[in-house]
Short mmCIF file of all heavy atoms in Angstrom, two decimals:
data_model
loop_
_atom_site.label_atom_id
_atom_site.label_comp_id
_atom_site.label_asym_id
_atom_site.label_seq_id
_atom_site.Cartn_x
_atom_site.Cartn_y
_atom_site.Cartn_z
N THR R 157 -46.88 5.22 62.28
CA THR R 157 -47.00 3.84 62.35
C THR R 157 -45.69 3.17 61.75
O THR R 157 -45.57 1.88 61.98
CB THR R 157 -48.20 3.31 61.55
OG1 THR R 157 -48.08 3.67 60.26
CG2 THR R 157 -49.49 3.78 62.16
N GLY R 158 -44.90 3.79 61.09
CA GLY R 158 -43.78 3.10 60.39
C GLY R 158 -44.31 2.42 59.13
O GLY R 158 -43.50 1.75 58.51
N ARG R 159 -45.54 2.55 58.84
CA ARG R 159 -46.03 1.91 57.60
C ARG R 159 -46.12 2.94 56.48
O ARG R 159 -45.94 4.17 56.77
CB ARG R 159 -47.46 1.36 57.83
CG ARG R 159 -47.34 0.12 58.74
CD ARG R 159 -48.77 -0.34 59.06
NE ARG R 159 -48.63 -1.43 60.07
CZ ARG R 159 -48.43 -2.69 59.81
NH1 ARG R 159 -48.44 -3.10 58.51
NH2 ARG R 159 -48.28 -3.59 60.72
N ILE R 160 -46.25 2.44 55.27
CA ILE R 160 -46.15 3.41 54.16
C ILE R 160 -47.26 4.41 54.17
O ILE R 160 -47.10 5.58 53.81
CB ILE R 160 -46.22 2.60 52.80
CG1 ILE R 160 -45.76 3.49 51.67
CG2 ILE R 160 -47.53 2.00 52.53
CD1 ILE R 160 -45.34 2.80 50.42
N HIS R 161 -48.41 4.05 54.73
CA HIS R 161 -49.57 5.04 54.82
C HIS R 161 -49.18 6.20 55.79
O HIS R 161 -48.89 5.93 56.92
CB HIS R 161 -50.82 4.30 55.26
CG HIS R 161 -52.05 5.16 55.11
ND1 HIS R 161 -52.52 5.40 53.88
CD2 HIS R 161 -52.79 5.84 56.01
CE1 HIS R 161 -53.59 6.20 54.00
NE2 HIS R 161 -53.75 6.53 55.31
N GLY R 162 -49.26 7.39 55.32
CA GLY R 162 -48.96 8.51 56.07
C GLY R 162 -47.47 8.91 56.21
O GLY R 162 -47.16 9.89 56.79
N ALA R 163 -46.62 8.07 55.51
CA ALA R 163 -45.20 8.45 55.61
C ALA R 163 -44.89 9.55 54.57
O ALA R 163 -45.56 9.84 53.66
CB ALA R 163 -44.41 7.17 55.15
N ASP R 164 -43.89 10.28 54.94
CA ASP R 164 -43.41 11.46 54.07
C ASP R 164 -42.68 10.92 52.86
O ASP R 164 -42.76 11.40 51.78
CB ASP R 164 -42.55 12.41 54.82
CG ASP R 164 -43.34 13.11 55.98
OD1 ASP R 164 -44.58 13.31 55.80
OD2 ASP R 164 -42.76 13.48 57.05
N TYR R 165 -41.81 9.98 53.14
CA TYR R 165 -41.00 9.37 52.07
C TYR R 165 -40.56 8.02 52.49
O TYR R 165 -40.66 7.59 53.71
CB TYR R 165 -39.90 10.27 51.68
CG TYR R 165 -38.84 10.54 52.78
CD1 TYR R 165 -37.72 9.72 53.04
CD2 TYR R 165 -38.94 11.67 53.62
CE1 TYR R 165 -36.82 10.00 53.98
CE2 TYR R 165 -38.10 11.90 54.64
CZ TYR R 165 -37.02 11.09 54.80
OH TYR R 165 -36.07 11.29 55.77
N SER R 166 -40.03 7.26 51.56
CA SER R 166 -39.57 5.90 51.93
C SER R 166 -38.15 5.76 51.49
O SER R 166 -37.75 6.30 50.44
CB SER R 166 -40.45 4.83 51.16
OG SER R 166 -41.82 4.91 51.60
N LEU R 167 -37.39 4.96 52.22
CA LEU R 167 -36.04 4.61 51.90
C LEU R 167 -35.91 3.12 51.65
O LEU R 167 -36.69 2.33 52.31
CB LEU R 167 -35.12 5.02 53.00
CG LEU R 167 -35.03 6.50 53.44
CD1 LEU R 167 -34.32 6.65 54.75
CD2 LEU R 167 -34.40 7.33 52.32
N VAL R 168 -35.13 2.69 50.76
CA VAL R 168 -34.99 1.30 50.47
C VAL R 168 -33.54 0.86 50.71
O VAL R 168 -32.62 1.51 50.21
CB VAL R 168 -35.39 0.94 49.01
CG1 VAL R 168 -35.35 -0.56 48.82
CG2 VAL R 168 -36.82 1.46 48.78
N ASP R 169 -33.36 -0.23 51.45
CA ASP R 169 -32.05 -0.79 51.68
C ASP R 169 -31.95 -2.13 50.89
O ASP R 169 -32.75 -3.03 51.14
CB ASP R 169 -31.91 -1.02 53.18
CG ASP R 169 -30.54 -1.76 53.54
OD1 ASP R 169 -29.74 -1.92 52.55
OD2 ASP R 169 -30.37 -2.15 54.68
N TYR R 170 -31.02 -2.18 49.93
CA TYR R 170 -30.96 -3.36 49.09
C TYR R 170 -29.94 -4.41 49.55
O TYR R 170 -29.64 -5.39 48.89
CB TYR R 170 -30.63 -3.00 47.62
CG TYR R 170 -31.77 -2.33 46.99
CD1 TYR R 170 -31.70 -0.93 46.75
CD2 TYR R 170 -32.91 -2.96 46.58
CE1 TYR R 170 -32.76 -0.30 46.10
CE2 TYR R 170 -33.95 -2.32 45.94
CZ TYR R 170 -33.92 -0.94 45.67
OH TYR R 170 -34.96 -0.40 45.06
N ASN R 171 -29.39 -4.18 50.76
CA ASN R 171 -28.37 -5.13 51.35
C ASN R 171 -29.07 -6.60 51.38
O ASN R 171 -28.36 -7.51 51.11
CB ASN R 171 -27.99 -4.76 52.73
CG ASN R 171 -26.96 -3.69 52.75
OD1 ASN R 171 -26.44 -3.31 51.70
ND2 ASN R 171 -26.62 -3.18 53.90
N ARG R 172 -30.35 -6.65 51.68
CA ARG R 172 -30.87 -7.97 51.76
C ARG R 172 -31.37 -8.55 50.43
O ARG R 172 -31.71 -9.76 50.32
CB ARG R 172 -32.08 -7.87 52.77
CG ARG R 172 -32.52 -9.27 53.33
CD ARG R 172 -33.72 -9.09 54.31
NE ARG R 172 -34.90 -8.74 53.53
CZ ARG R 172 -36.10 -8.47 54.14
NH1 ARG R 172 -36.24 -8.50 55.43
NH2 ARG R 172 -37.12 -8.14 53.35
N ALA R 173 -31.46 -7.66 49.49
CA ALA R 173 -31.92 -8.16 48.17
C ALA R 173 -30.87 -9.10 47.53
O ALA R 173 -29.70 -8.83 47.45
CB ALA R 173 -32.07 -6.90 47.18
N GLY R 174 -31.40 -10.30 47.27
CA GLY R 174 -30.57 -11.28 46.63
C GLY R 174 -29.98 -12.28 47.68
O GLY R 174 -29.17 -13.17 47.31
N ILE R 175 -30.33 -12.10 48.98
CA ILE R 175 -29.82 -13.14 49.99
C ILE R 175 -30.56 -14.43 49.65
O ILE R 175 -31.80 -14.46 49.43
CB ILE R 175 -30.02 -12.59 51.33
CG1 ILE R 175 -28.99 -11.50 51.58
CG2 ILE R 175 -29.90 -13.70 52.41
CD1 ILE R 175 -28.81 -11.04 53.07
N PRO R 176 -29.85 -15.61 49.71
CA PRO R 176 -30.55 -16.80 49.38
C PRO R 176 -31.59 -17.26 50.33
O PRO R 176 -31.33 -17.17 51.60
CB PRO R 176 -29.43 -17.84 49.27
CG PRO R 176 -28.20 -17.19 49.86
CD PRO R 176 -28.48 -15.69 49.92
N LEU R 177 -32.71 -17.67 49.85
CA LEU R 177 -33.73 -18.20 50.71
C LEU R 177 -34.16 -19.55 50.29
O LEU R 177 -34.03 -19.88 49.04
CB LEU R 177 -35.06 -17.30 50.53
CG LEU R 177 -35.12 -15.91 51.05
CD1 LEU R 177 -36.54 -15.36 50.74
CD2 LEU R 177 -34.94 -15.94 52.61
N ILE R 178 -34.51 -20.35 51.18
CA ILE R 178 -35.08 -21.74 50.84
C ILE R 178 -36.54 -21.58 51.41
O ILE R 178 -36.75 -21.26 52.53
CB ILE R 178 -34.34 -22.93 51.54
CG1 ILE R 178 -32.89 -22.86 51.21
CG2 ILE R 178 -35.06 -24.23 51.17
CD1 ILE R 178 -32.53 -23.05 49.80
N GLU R 179 -37.48 -22.01 50.57
CA GLU R 179 -38.88 -21.97 51.05
C GLU R 179 -39.26 -23.45 51.06
O GLU R 179 -39.20 -24.14 50.13
CB GLU R 179 -39.79 -21.16 50.08
CG GLU R 179 -41.21 -21.20 50.52
CD GLU R 179 -42.21 -20.30 49.80
OE1 GLU R 179 -41.76 -19.50 48.99
OE2 GLU R 179 -43.40 -20.55 49.88
N ILE R 180 -39.77 -23.80 52.27
CA ILE R 180 -40.12 -25.21 52.55
C ILE R 180 -41.65 -25.17 52.73
O ILE R 180 -42.23 -24.46 53.54
CB ILE R 180 -39.49 -25.74 53.86
CG1 ILE R 180 -37.94 -25.68 53.65
CG2 ILE R 180 -39.96 -27.13 54.14
CD1 ILE R 180 -37.16 -25.61 55.05
N VAL R 181 -42.31 -25.95 51.84
CA VAL R 181 -43.84 -25.87 51.79
C VAL R 181 -44.33 -27.29 52.18
O VAL R 181 -43.91 -28.23 51.60
CB VAL R 181 -44.30 -25.51 50.37
CG1 VAL R 181 -45.80 -25.49 50.31
CG2 VAL R 181 -43.65 -24.17 49.93
N THR R 182 -45.27 -27.32 53.10
CA THR R 182 -45.85 -28.55 53.55
C THR R 182 -47.08 -28.89 52.64
O THR R 182 -47.70 -27.96 52.02
CB THR R 182 -46.38 -28.57 54.98
OG1 THR R 182 -47.46 -27.69 55.10
CG2 THR R 182 -45.27 -28.17 55.95
N ARG R 183 -47.51 -30.09 52.59
CA ARG R 183 -48.87 -30.48 52.02
C ARG R 183 -49.84 -30.08 53.20
O ARG R 183 -49.44 -29.87 54.30
CB ARG R 183 -48.88 -31.98 51.74
CG ARG R 183 -47.96 -32.30 50.60
CD ARG R 183 -48.64 -33.36 49.71
NE ARG R 183 -47.82 -33.44 48.47
CZ ARG R 183 -46.79 -34.20 48.38
NH1 ARG R 183 -46.33 -35.00 49.39
NH2 ARG R 183 -46.10 -34.27 47.20
N PRO R 184 -51.09 -30.03 52.86
CA PRO R 184 -52.10 -29.68 53.87
C PRO R 184 -51.97 -30.72 55.01
O PRO R 184 -51.89 -31.86 54.83
CB PRO R 184 -53.43 -29.87 53.16
CG PRO R 184 -53.16 -29.55 51.73
CD PRO R 184 -51.76 -30.15 51.51
N ILE R 185 -51.89 -30.21 56.26
CA ILE R 185 -51.80 -30.99 57.45
C ILE R 185 -53.24 -31.09 58.03
O ILE R 185 -53.82 -30.15 58.46
CB ILE R 185 -50.89 -30.39 58.48
CG1 ILE R 185 -49.54 -30.08 57.93
CG2 ILE R 185 -50.78 -31.28 59.68
CD1 ILE R 185 -48.64 -29.21 58.71
N MET R 186 -53.81 -32.38 57.95
CA MET R 186 -55.16 -32.63 58.28
C MET R 186 -55.14 -33.52 59.54
O MET R 186 -54.29 -34.16 59.90
CB MET R 186 -55.87 -33.44 57.12
CG MET R 186 -55.49 -32.99 55.72
SD MET R 186 -56.47 -31.59 55.18
CE MET R 186 -58.04 -32.33 54.83
N GLY R 187 -56.34 -33.48 60.14
CA GLY R 187 -56.67 -34.52 61.20
C GLY R 187 -56.01 -34.16 62.50
O GLY R 187 -55.93 -35.02 63.44
N THR R 188 -55.48 -32.99 62.63
CA THR R 188 -54.79 -32.73 63.95
C THR R 188 -55.71 -32.08 64.99
O THR R 188 -55.35 -32.01 66.16
CB THR R 188 -53.54 -31.70 63.74
OG1 THR R 188 -54.06 -30.52 62.99
CG2 THR R 188 -52.51 -32.37 62.82
N ARG R 189 -56.89 -31.68 64.48
CA ARG R 189 -57.97 -31.18 65.34
C ARG R 189 -57.42 -30.15 66.47
O ARG R 189 -56.76 -29.22 66.08
CB ARG R 189 -58.66 -32.32 66.09
CG ARG R 189 -59.12 -33.36 65.07
CD ARG R 189 -60.54 -33.05 64.45
NE ARG R 189 -61.50 -32.89 65.59
CZ ARG R 189 -62.44 -32.01 65.58
NH1 ARG R 189 -62.55 -31.11 64.54
NH2 ARG R 189 -63.36 -31.95 66.52
N ALA R 190 -57.72 -30.43 67.67
CA ALA R 190 -57.33 -29.50 68.80
C ALA R 190 -55.85 -29.29 68.88
O ALA R 190 -55.36 -28.29 69.37
CB ALA R 190 -57.86 -30.04 70.10
N ASN R 191 -55.10 -30.23 68.33
CA ASN R 191 -53.66 -30.14 68.34
C ASN R 191 -53.07 -29.21 67.27
O ASN R 191 -51.84 -28.92 67.25
CB ASN R 191 -53.01 -31.46 68.20
CG ASN R 191 -52.64 -32.11 69.50
OD1 ASN R 191 -52.57 -31.37 70.51
ND2 ASN R 191 -52.43 -33.38 69.47
N ALA R 192 -53.97 -28.70 66.38
CA ALA R 192 -53.38 -27.97 65.22
C ALA R 192 -52.43 -26.83 65.61
O ALA R 192 -51.40 -26.72 65.06
CB ALA R 192 -54.55 -27.44 64.35
N PRO R 193 -52.76 -25.97 66.56
CA PRO R 193 -51.84 -24.90 66.93
C PRO R 193 -50.47 -25.50 67.42
O PRO R 193 -49.46 -24.97 67.14
CB PRO R 193 -52.58 -24.12 68.04
CG PRO R 193 -54.00 -24.45 67.86
CD PRO R 193 -54.03 -25.86 67.32
N ALA R 194 -50.57 -26.55 68.30
CA ALA R 194 -49.39 -27.07 68.78
C ALA R 194 -48.57 -27.77 67.73
O ALA R 194 -47.30 -27.78 67.78
CB ALA R 194 -49.72 -28.13 69.91
N VAL R 195 -49.16 -28.47 66.79
CA VAL R 195 -48.51 -29.10 65.69
C VAL R 195 -47.77 -28.00 64.85
O VAL R 195 -46.57 -28.22 64.45
CB VAL R 195 -49.45 -29.86 64.75
CG1 VAL R 195 -48.75 -30.31 63.52
CG2 VAL R 195 -50.04 -31.12 65.53
N ALA R 196 -48.45 -26.87 64.65
CA ALA R 196 -47.75 -25.84 63.81
C ALA R 196 -46.55 -25.30 64.55
O ALA R 196 -45.47 -25.24 63.95
CB ALA R 196 -48.77 -24.75 63.63
N LYS R 197 -46.68 -25.09 65.84
CA LYS R 197 -45.53 -24.61 66.60
C LYS R 197 -44.39 -25.66 66.64
O LYS R 197 -43.20 -25.32 66.48
CB LYS R 197 -45.98 -24.28 68.03
CG LYS R 197 -44.86 -23.71 68.88
CD LYS R 197 -45.28 -23.53 70.33
CE LYS R 197 -44.08 -23.10 71.17
NZ LYS R 197 -44.47 -22.95 72.57
N ALA R 198 -44.76 -26.96 66.92
CA ALA R 198 -43.78 -27.90 67.08
C ALA R 198 -43.08 -28.18 65.65
O ALA R 198 -41.87 -28.45 65.72
CB ALA R 198 -44.40 -29.22 67.48
N TYR R 199 -43.80 -28.07 64.61
CA TYR R 199 -43.27 -28.25 63.25
C TYR R 199 -42.13 -27.22 63.04
O TYR R 199 -40.99 -27.49 62.69
CB TYR R 199 -44.32 -28.22 62.24
CG TYR R 199 -43.70 -28.10 60.81
CD1 TYR R 199 -43.09 -29.14 60.16
CD2 TYR R 199 -43.89 -26.89 60.13
CE1 TYR R 199 -42.58 -28.99 58.90
CE2 TYR R 199 -43.32 -26.68 58.87
CZ TYR R 199 -42.67 -27.69 58.25
OH TYR R 199 -42.11 -27.63 56.95
N VAL R 200 -42.51 -25.94 63.25
CA VAL R 200 -41.58 -24.86 62.98
C VAL R 200 -40.38 -24.91 63.96
O VAL R 200 -39.21 -24.75 63.53
CB VAL R 200 -42.29 -23.48 63.08
CG1 VAL R 200 -41.29 -22.31 62.87
CG2 VAL R 200 -43.49 -23.29 62.10
#
Side-chain angles (χ1 to χ4, degrees):
Chain R
T157 58
R159 291 174 186 272
I160 193 162
H161 190 74
D164 295 328
Y165 59 93
S166 300
L167 299 169
V168 184
D169 176 6
Y170 290 107
N171 281 353
R172 202 181 66 184
I175 289 194
L177 288 180
I178 305 298
E179 181 174 344
I180 300 157
V181 182
T182 68
R183 294 222 166 82
I185 305 167
M186 319 276 286
T188 54
R189 305 277 300 142
N191 263 342
V195 169
K197 179 185 175 183
Y199 166 73
V200 178

